[in-house]
Amino acid sequence: MTINLGIVPPAPREERLARIDNARPQVLVIGGGINGASVYRELALNGVEVVLADKADFCAGASSALSRMVHGGLRYLENGEFDLVREALDERNRLLLNAPHLVRPLRTVVPIDSWMSGTLNAPLKFLGLTRAPSRRGALPLKLGLSFYDIYTRGRGGMPKHAFLSRRKVIARFPGFPDRVRCAATYFDGQVSHPERVVTEIFEDVARAGGKATALNYLAVTHIGPAGVVLQDRIGGGTVTCVPEIIINAAGAWVDLTNNCLAAPPCPAMVEGTKGSHLMIDHPGLREILGDDMVYYENIDGRICIMFVLHGMVLVGSTDLKVPDPDAVRCEADERAYILDGLKYVFPDIEVRDDQIRFIFSGVRPLPVSAAGTTGQIPRGHFTQWLIPATPGAHAPILCMIGGKWTTFRAFGELAANDTLDRLGLKRRCGTETLAIGGGLSYPEDPDAWVADLAARSGLPLPRVATLLSRYGTLAQALAEAFAGEQPLPGLAGYSDREIDYLIAHEQVETLEDLALRRTVIALAGQLDGAAIAALADRLARAKGWSEDERAARVSAFEDRLLADHGIARSRLGNPDCNREVAAQ
Ligand SMILES: Cc1cc2nc3c(=O)[nH]c(=O)nc-3n(C[C@H](O)[C@H](O)[C@H](O)COP(=O)(O)OP(=O)(O)OC[C@H]3O[C@@H](n4cnc5c(N)ncnc54)[C@H](O)[C@@H]3O)c2cc1C
């Protein structure tokens, strides 16, 4: 099902692979997370011929595992990362304007247990004289939040911070424990669906008509005699291309990727820390939180967060060094740590196992550092060239190291500037004020816009409102094309036409792509046997899978959900799983 969104519908995969094979693009970007997508957009819009390849699905790494905060990073002030916080606040404000359908203000509430504690700890940490996480009292928070306010003043930012007395904070959150003396409130941002930002960046590039191709499930494996070898993980073949410059945007895989391309020993650049989140279906907690995020200290003093996202409560996260970014999942001790923290801030809330509807983990691509604790590893970003010792052994590799999701535009801009310099090209345009996808011409009065489109398309008002919140103003073309859509069994909020549209337009290859990244079905706790069957039917039809292949794909997906995402066996429809349950 193709819909005219002002872009040529994507060519079949084989055609796009053929376009890459034996090509001599100016730039090959390795990695289709948010940072790879960002530099790809910068280069393509500036007339550079660029290919992007991801070994898995786009955003299968850290870019779908974040806490979904679009933030300055209050905590980073303790580590003295003032420039990062300043840059991140600027980028947060830009995203609120450039992608208003996906990035929205988020009121944040910080429960405070003491007035002064941490006042000395922050400067001591900054000077490297202590490593221990400490509790943060009202005074150091006041200083940090004042920095936020001073910096964002006059920059189209958000309302100033405020302090709530114990009486007021208990009136708002009666469940807080007795030790809470007051609370601070301030505004940051949240991104509802970060994977869509990447999809829309690719669509924007296609719409601009640049010489650019982005392909998922295409792994850069090594350099052969004919150039960089990329393995097609769908069809099984390989293609080769000869870029002038390689950009290594492989996140936590930066070092592994360098070691595939350049002669060892390559310098170690990144060290990953794993973070996990739980999506909890708890009506009581959902009601308590409302539209606020609670930004709280866990028992060990580490900052954790919880807020309502897609009808579930998102709670996280952890921060643990891991050697292998390909083998991460939320372990039992992490899950216990997250639940203990929840109980520490809301002692009366009981979470049952069956209320944990989805779990996800990812690896932060942090720079190698001598920091004593993971929390002290710098969160900023920088680039580093890897130039071959033997001239011509491989193209120069520009490595993108570190970076927050929030700062992706600035990081992409930095890497693009380095690349343009090396190619001897001048920048033609920038992205500071460029709308992303459905953020273009976003209505000042969304309700009137929705009412008008509902009248024209014949779709019910709430459905058009959902489409606006998912796709921004792209909803206009979609709503008209979805007229006559049918609901899907077990998948409230999605229709046959919407799923068919995503499959046809957005390089969907697997059930996981569809359920975890192109939609928020998994995050919204909707994944069960019926939902998986409905998605598998649409995907099998579009891809021409046989009955056996469909069954094998469903079974593999369910195994993955059981092993990595904490979905209860009893929720899945795979007969093999049910047999195991019966045998237990
Ligand atoms: C738990 C957690 C919470 C976080 N919370 C926040 C937050 O609230 N706010 C915020 O701003 N940031 C947050 N972050 C940080 C943010 O998510 C990351 O900094 C950002 O997503 C990194 O993006 P990336 O594109 O560099 O890496 P990734 O998204 O990991 O992308 C790298 C890509 O490279 C691909 N790749 C690897 N090797 C190869 C190869 N050989 N060939 C082809 N492709 C390859 C991978 O498949 C992957 O898709 C969080 C991160 C984590 C893990």
Side-chain angles (χ1 to χ4, degrees), residues 214-231:
L215 212 62
N216 54 4
Y217 295 103
L218 187 62
V220 170
T221 58
H222 63 284
I223 297 197
V228 180
V229 180
L230 301 106
Q231 193 205 5

Side-chain angles (χ1 to χ4, degrees), residues 294-496:
V294 177
Y295 183 91
Y296 59 99
E297 288 176 341
N298 204 324
I299 301 160
D300 60 355
R302 266 198 65 250
I303 296 290
C304 289
I305 52 108
M306 69 174 94
F307 62 98
V308 175
L309 182 75
H310 306 303
M312 300 284 115
V313 178
L314 168 79
V315 193
S317 70
T318 48
D319 196 7
L320 303 160
K321 281 192 187 178
V322 281
D324 179 2
D326 280 307
V328 293
R329 68 174 58 141
C330 178
E331 304 295 346
D333 54 344
E334 282 181 275
R335 185 183 146 118
Y337 172 85
I338 295 171
L339 291 174
D340 287 349
L342 196 162
K343 191 105 192 124
Y344 185 62
V345 71
F346 287 117
D348 298 336
I349 295 287
E350 298 289 340
V351 177
R352 296 191 313 268
D353 272 358
D354 66 310
Q355 290 178 310
I356 301 176
R357 301 295 282 263
F358 188 68
I359 299 179
F360 60 94
S361 305
V363 182
R364 301 174 185 85
L366 303 180
V368 165
S369 111
T373 63
T374 49
Q376 284 176 286
I377 303 175
R379 262 43 180 185
H381 58 248
F382 59 94
T383 56
Q384 189 172 328
W385 284 103
L386 197 60
I387 307 290
T390 320
H394 61 78
I397 302 173
L398 182 69
C399 303
M400 295 178 74
I401 300 152
K404 300 290 297 167
W405 190 92
T406 306
T407 50
F408 73 80
R409 194 209 61 82
F411 197 10
E413 182 181 71
L414 171 73
N417 287 344
D418 291 350
T419 309
L420 291 170
D421 279 353
R422 194 156 195 113
L423 289 169
L425 299 173
K426 285 221 163 1
R427 185 175 265 284
R428 294 190 214 153
C429 63
T431 48
E432 283 187 2
T433 55
L434 193 67
I436 295 176
L440 186 65
S441 310
Y442 196 77
E444 274 179 27
D445 183 350
D447 292 343
W449 194 91
V450 165
D452 178 57
L453 185 55
R456 276 186 291 120
S457 65
L459 290 186
L461 213 83
R463 173 70 174 144
V464 177
T466 300
L467 293 179
L468 178 67
S469 73
R470 279 185 195 154
Y471 305 102
T473 48
L474 299 173
Q476 174 131 357
L478 298 178
E480 282 161 15
F482 292 172
E485 63 185 354
Q486 295 299 316
L488 285 173
L491 267 179
Y494 288 90
S495 73
D496 54 352

Side-chain angles (χ1 to χ4, degrees), residues 145 148-150 152-153 157-163 185-187:
L145 289 170
Y148 249 56
D149 288 347
I150 292 167
T152 46
R153 193 169 46 201
M158 301 215 251
K160 282 178 157 184
H161 79 270
F163 271 77
T185 65
Y186 69 102
F187 278 82

Side-chain angles (χ1 to χ4, degrees), residues 31 33-35 54-55 62-63 66-67 69 220 250 403-406:
I34 191 66
N35 288 321
D54 198 296
K55 75 183 174 88
S63 299
L66 56 148
S67 303
M69 288 158 63
V220 170
K404 300 290 297 167
W405 190 92
T406 306

